[in-house]
Amino acid sequence: MSDRIMGGLGLLLALFFIWQATLIQESFISDPVGPKVFPIIIGVLVGISSLAIFFKPDDEPEWPEFSRLFEVGMTVAVMVAYAYALPLIGFVVSTAFAAGFLSWRLGTPPIKAVIAGVTIAVGIYVVFHLILGLSLARGPWGF
Amino acid sequence: MDTLNALAHGFSIALTFQNLGLALIGCFLGTIIGALPGLGPSNGVAILIPLAFSLGLDATPALILLTSVYYGAMYGGRISSILLNIPGDEPALMTTLDGYPMAKKGMAGEALALSGIASFVGAFFATWGLVFLAPQLVKVALLFGPAEYFALFALAFATLGGIASKNQAKAAIAAGLGLGIAMIGVDGQTGVPRFAFGEVHLYDGIDFLVAIVGLFALSEVFIFLEHRGTPKATGDAAAVKLGRLTPPLSMLKQTAPTMARSTVLGFIAGVLPGAGASLGSFIAYSVEKRLVDKDNTFGTGDPRGVAAPEAGNNAAAGGALVPMLALGVPGSGTTAVLLAMLLALNITPGPLLFTNNPDVVWGLIAALFIGNLMLLIMNIPMVSLFVRVLLVPPRYLMPAVAMISFVGIYGISGSTFDLMVMVFFGVLGWLLRKLEVPLVPVILGILLGNQMEANMRRAMTISDGDWSALFASPLSIGLWLFAFFGFIMPIVAGRFFRSKLPRTDSDADPD
């Protein structure tokens, strides 16, 4: 079933891609092919292979149970939040939080996870910023 | 003689204090990355590229660092294969077959040392092969026009996809996805924006480093999250006793012919576009089994069954650099990542690389020799140190990997938007791996898409819009035929091939 869904989505994506390709503005400088043709070729390729998958799907992959999927989703949310937080509260604080969260979700007990998060954040800060001179995000406190 | 002079010049570059230091660090890090279950050469190099880039290293030192990591990871892959029966990456899969039984018999130390020596032999001679073959291939490549290049790119997709996946349609989707992503941004020929949907950030296109780190490194984190609590996610090497760390002379004598044959086979497998290290170790092992396994000892801890895949996969790693450097077409997943490295440094691999940037090429090749020697010296006496790394549980390691990925990308662009794109690619990579869609063609599409289109349009401009120009020269017809059979063959031969491959969790891993 997963492959059928993927095939269907792939076909929709291919159609959308081809439709968008036809909307590309032609420029006054152009070559015999133009900017539309290659994307359309790609769209056709994706479309045909999506159809092949739709009609000849592989065995069902092992999807994790819902709770695990939810965790992956939560982790993605934390990562997105991390990206937003970096310039606001600085590298060390946001990284300690994100790394601690990840470590906790990977099975570390909460208190150890906090320690792991802080250690990872400070460790990366020392190695990459203080020793190697890489510029990391600065928050209101300068780190 | 020219070649040897150039190589000597390369050594004069690689032997500077800084470059030696970088090679040492790279070998060390690479071995650790390779040894950790789940992290292979592609992931390792993918995480380190943005870092090397944001640290502002010059092209040659950066390349030396990353190729040392690459070779190191090829060496390190065997450690978890032998001790834990968990291959660090797909090429190390075959090493589990006899390596783990040897370890169970109490010969872990010997197996590790022997595999280290076999890795050295494979990589050392493959690097010589690279020295002599790459310049020859460059001469052929100089005959290539835009039409031939277009066919060559098609060949790379056809074969890389064909071998990387069980399902050709999925390989084709992967390639199309990558090519489609490459189309985002301003068209190089005419300057019109494509697929940017008015989003200013997308006018520059998707940075392939962002995509690579997301697809390889972050997706690995999600996989670990999903497998929490299962054996895959909890490394446990505590119980292993190493035993003696030097193989007896008789064992070396017994395995020497095996190493020689496997090196040749592995090198050839590496040079063939798309085949790469996985095929190198697989072919080396199966040929050796057919040739010398008279008493059916393969699979029960036969030293030759350890030497063959290790020599084979390291020789293939060297061989895969031949088409990557000479043609700009990578022969494996990891070389695709190295290609990204070169492009990020504004160096375009291909025939002109050898004339325009001889320092880069020959410095790099010399560094391979040096790194290889370092790895041998490091790997025999220090193997117990690397083994200890296996004791770091993934629940501490994977967060660090994820954070370092963020640091690398943020260091290059300082842009929150790029981090979001990276997370998006992480999720995409995870989904694709679950659905057994190979990641390497996606990467290849993102890397080569614009060049592939540019060559097609250049060929059309020359022929004034006549499409038959793409199939006009004997060279391009040959390449198209190769591409066609490269795509079709695995469908026919694939079932036979795969039925002989042992199935493990790592089947969906890149490279």
Side-chain angles (χ1 to χ4, degrees), chain A residues 2-3 6 13 16-17 20-21 24-27 29-35 37-39 41-42 45-46 49-50 52-53 56 58 61-64 68-69 71-72 75-76 79-80 82-84 86-87 91 95 98-99 102-103 105-108 112 116 120 124 128 132 134-137, chain B residues 51 54-55 150 167 169-170 172-173 175-177 179-180 183 187 189-195 197 218 221-222 224-229 394-396 398-400 402-404 406-407 410-411 416 419-420 423 427 430-432 434-437 449 452-453 456-457 460-461 464-465 467 495:
Chain A
S2 300
D3 272 8
M6 175 169 77
L13 178 76
F16 176 76
F17 195 75
Q20 282 293 318
I24 294 168
Q25 297 282 316
E26 292 278 359
S27 159
I29 20 166
S30 202
D31 50 348
V33 179
V37 177
F38 195 66
I41 296 175
I42 298 170
L45 170 79
V46 173
S49 21
S50 297
I53 289 172
K56 205 168 163 288
D58 287 340
E62 272 178 47
W63 289 103
R68 286 291 162 91
L69 278 181
E71 284 203 12
V72 173
T75 308
V76 171
M79 284 178 174
V80 171
Y82 173 68
Y84 269 115
L86 263 179
F91 174 80
T95 304
L102 262 178
S103 182
R105 287 334 301 159
L106 284 164
T108 315
K112 279 192 181 172
I120 289 170
I124 293 178
F128 291 108
L132 294 172
L134 186 69
S135 62
L136 302 169
Chain B
L51 270 182
S54 37
L55 288 171
F150 182 68
N167 185 334
K170 287 184 176 175
I173 281 207
L177 211 56
L179 289 168
M183 294 302 105
D187 171 35
Q189 262 80 355
T190 59
V192 295
R194 296 191 286 185
F195 306 106
F197 307 107
L218 284 194
V221 175
F222 296 136
F224 267 95
L225 202 65
E226 191 197 326
H227 289 276
R228 184 186 71 201
R395 61 176 189 272
Y396 296 124
M398 293 320 282
M403 292 301 123
I404 291 175
F406 278 98
V407 167
Y410 195 80
T416 308
L419 296 184
M420 309 276 191
V423 175
V427 177
W430 177 69
L431 277 174
L432 293 179
K434 295 299 290 177
L435 293 163
E436 298 198 316
V437 177
M452 188 170 180
E453 185 190 17
M456 182 192 88
R457 286 163 75 171
M460 287 300 99
T461 307
D464 207 17
W467 288 90
R495 276 184 207 109

Side-chain angles (χ1 to χ4, degrees), chain B residues 217-280:
Chain B
L218 284 194
S219 72
E220 194 67 48
V221 175
F222 296 136
I223 297 259
F224 267 95
L225 202 65
E226 191 197 326
H227 289 276
R228 184 186 71 201
T230 59
K232 183 180 164 64
T234 47
D236 178 25
V240 178
K241 287 204 177 56
L242 283 183
R244 58 182 289 181
L245 288 175
T246 44
L249 208 60
S250 61
M251 193 186 272
L252 286 181
K253 256 189 204 150
Q254 186 199 12
T255 51
T258 298
M259 288 186 202
R261 282 189 292 265
S262 305
T263 299
V264 174
L265 284 171
F267 183 74
I268 295 171
V271 172
L272 293 176
S278 310
L279 189 72

Side-chain angles (χ1 to χ4, degrees), chain B residues 264-336:
Chain B
V264 174
L265 284 171
F267 183 74
I268 295 171
V271 172
L272 293 176
S278 310
L279 189 72
S281 63
F282 175 71
I283 287 203
Y285 187 87
S286 13
V287 167
E288 210 53 32
K289 184 172 160 60
R290 189 151 303 173
L291 276 181
V292 299
D293 188 18
K294 303 259 164 18
D295 315 317
N296 278 322
T297 50
F298 270 50
T300 61
D302 190 313
R304 290 169 301 187
V306 175
E310 279 306 314
N313 89 36
N314 286 276
L321 289 171
V322 174
M324 202 275 269
L325 289 175
L327 302 174
V329 174
S332 69
T334 320
T335 40

